[in-house]
């Protein structure tokens, strides 16, 4: 299921064609919505040196040439968090286009209920197992739709 374009900044950006610019290349990103047995979900902070450093997001990263969403997510979760994911257990969930000032991004959100290993902050990031309403901030604009979707699906943590 695809959602409409989400504009990541407060000012609506003019269409590339209206400006006479060449269309921007879409960057595909695999994003993991890791959901624990208690219903809480994993959020990670963006490390120093990256765009939006300190913002909270769902973990993941860019697809490499010829890489599937599932393989990219497994690779990124291993690189960033030291956990192993079987690409066969990756459940594609939704897609969202986000127009950030620095990039036009197609986010491929995948739900994960199974992984192996202990979380490690391999990029110096922080993480939190969260429930709705989320108490960490700021939250990356591309993560906001996921929080809404989780709320619509009524995924509260178990007591």
């Amino acid at each position: 299921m695809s959602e409409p374009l989400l504009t990541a900044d407060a000012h609506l950006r003019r269409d590339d064609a209206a400006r006479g610019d060449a269309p921007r290349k879409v960057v595909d990103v695999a994003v993991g919505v890791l959901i624990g047995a208690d219903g809480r979900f994993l959020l990670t902070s963006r490390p120093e040196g990256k765009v939006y450093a300190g913002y909270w997001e769902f973990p993941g990263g860019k697809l490499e040439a010829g890489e599937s969403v599932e393989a990219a997510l497994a690779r990124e979760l291993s690189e960033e968090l030291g956990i192993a994911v079987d690409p066969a257990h990756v459940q594609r969930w939704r897609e969202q286009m986000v127009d950030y000032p620095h990039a036009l991004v197609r986010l491929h959100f995948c739900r994960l209920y199974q992984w192996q290993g202990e979380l490690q902050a391999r990029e110096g990031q922080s993480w939190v197992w969260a429930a709705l309403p989320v108490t960490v901030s700021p939250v990356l604009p591309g993560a906001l739709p996921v929080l809404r979707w989780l709320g619509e699906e009524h995924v509260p943590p178990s007591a």
Side-chain angles (χ1 to χ4, degrees):
M1 174 187 296
S2 287
E3 294 282 326
L5 179 71
L6 176 69
T7 303
D9 57 5
H11 306 286
L12 293 176
R13 297 171 56 87
R14 291 182 294 160
D15 183 72
D16 290 330
R19 286 195 311 253
D21 296 344
R24 297 187 333 163
K25 181 181 175 191
V26 174
V27 177
D28 285 291
V29 175
V31 182
V33 181
L34 283 70
I35 301 174
D38 63 358
R40 293 183 301 154
F41 47 88
L42 182 69
L43 290 173
T44 58
S45 64
R46 293 190 54 81
E48 289 301 318
K50 289 196 174 184
V51 175
Y52 289 100
Y55 278 68
W56 291 88
E57 66 178 350
F58 292 90
K62 297 177 191 172
L63 275 67
E64 294 180 354
E67 192 174 38
S68 71
V69 169
E70 295 82 0
L73 187 56
R75 176 184 50 74
E76 287 285 345
L77 293 175
S78 175
E79 291 173 2
E80 292 178 11
L81 298 172
I83 59 174
V85 171
D86 181 345
H89 291 132
V90 173
Q91 297 177 12
R92 287 198 195 198
W93 185 28
R94 300 193 186 201
E95 289 182 8
Q96 176 77 53
M97 291 289 290
V98 181
D99 188 5
Y100 288 107
H102 70 283
L104 181 59
V105 180
R106 180 183 301 119
L107 300 169
H108 300 269
F109 293 103
C110 303
R111 287 194 278 202
L112 293 165
Y113 298 92
Q114 299 177 30
W115 55 89
Q116 296 177 350
E118 297 294 322
L119 292 175
Q120 303 167 32
R122 291 187 168 177
E123 295 184 341
Q125 73 276 42
S126 297
W127 72 79
V128 64
W129 287 100
L132 297 173
V134 170
T135 58
V136 294
S137 69
V139 175
L140 195 65
L144 295 174
V146 178
L147 300 177
R148 180 174 43 87
W149 300 331
L150 290 171
E152 290 169 357
E153 292 184 3
H154 306 297
V155 184
S158 301

